[in-house]
Amino acid sequence: GVPGNLIDGYSEPTALALVKTAGENASELLVAQYSHLDLFLGNMPGSAGEMSKLMVLIGAAVLLITGVGSWRVMVAGVIGMLGAAFFVPIMAEASGLPMSGGMYLQPWEHLLCGGFLFGIVFMATDPVSSPETNIGKWVYGILIGVFTILVRMINPAYPEGAMLAILLLNAFAPTIDHFVVAANMKRRLKRS
């Protein structure tokens, strides 16, 4: 048997779960529990994708160097997330929507918390399920970032949202490409 003084496991809330219920002091509570460096290096509880953002960025570099991953999807996803993280709290406050703890995080803190970076680098760039057109990749990435923030901030029960957003946009990737190609054809017909 195992001696009684050994710990087999340990469980505590992830960074996003911690701020979800925090309210207005979410950013301060996050930094009090985990430093930004801890969040970046992965010195916190969570699943593998939530851990080290440094390792995710190294993986992104490998995907970009080998030509497997699309930099357009990655950059567009980060732009969509940062933009939505900035504007959604402003719109929620103006419209009187209830504010969850995630709305009080700084936009860039959303990149350090959760599995968004992992998802946008390793899952959203999958060449089989993402759009093939360059404009489609920009639209796809931006929408993944926006939907991730909408789920994180508006939905009271679900703290993450990145994988849900990726799965949803994977279903619409062919439709995005269809509209991009149709718009290109329409523009070419007008020229001739």
Side-chain angles (χ1 to χ4, degrees):
V2 177
N5 61 354
L6 292 179
I7 298 174
D8 290 335
Y10 176 72
S11 178
E12 69 178 281
T14 64
L16 277 178
L18 185 69
V19 300
K20 188 71 174 179
T21 58
E24 290 183 31
N25 62 348
S27 191
E28 293 83 19
L29 180 64
L30 177 67
V31 175
Q33 187 78 15
Y34 313 108
S35 72
H36 290 132
L37 183 62
D38 284 340
L39 293 170
F40 181 73
L41 295 177
N43 296 329
M44 61 180 185
S47 63
E50 289 183 82
M51 301 305 272
S52 178
K53 305 311 184 250
L54 175 63
M55 291 299 124
V56 170
L57 293 175
I58 291 170
V62 170
L63 289 178
L64 294 174
I65 289 168
T66 59
V68 175
S70 168
W71 67 268
R72 289 174 181 87
V73 172
M74 293 180 202
V75 171
V78 171
I79 290 170
M81 172 180 251
L82 292 175
F86 180 78
F87 285 111
V88 168
I90 294 169
M91 292 185 293
E93 190 171 350
S95 66
L97 282 173
M99 303 276 279
S100 73
M103 289 199 192
Y104 295 103
L105 287 180
Q106 296 298 317
W108 58 273
E109 287 177 321
H110 281 279
L111 291 173
L112 295 176
C113 296
F116 175 78
L117 277 181
F118 181 85
I120 203 70
V121 168
F122 295 108
M123 297 177 75
T125 60
D126 176 33
V128 174
S129 60
S130 64
E132 294 181 24
T133 61
N134 286 338
I135 294 172
K137 290 176 183 180
W138 283 102
V139 170
Y140 174 76
I142 287 171
L143 288 175
I144 288 173
V146 169
F147 279 108
T148 298
I149 288 298
L150 288 176
V151 171
R152 281 185 181 184
M153 291 186 176
I154 305 297
N155 187 343
Y158 196 51
E160 177 50 84
M163 301 312 144
L164 178 64
I166 292 168
L167 287 172
L168 178 66
L169 269 297
N170 277 347
F172 286 100
T175 306
I176 293 169
D177 272 341
H178 168 76
F179 282 113
V180 169
V181 170
N184 284 342
M185 289 173 46
K186 190 174 185 181
R187 190 171 55 246
R188 287 181 186 162
L189 287 174
K190 281 184 179 179
R191 277 192 256 157
S192 53

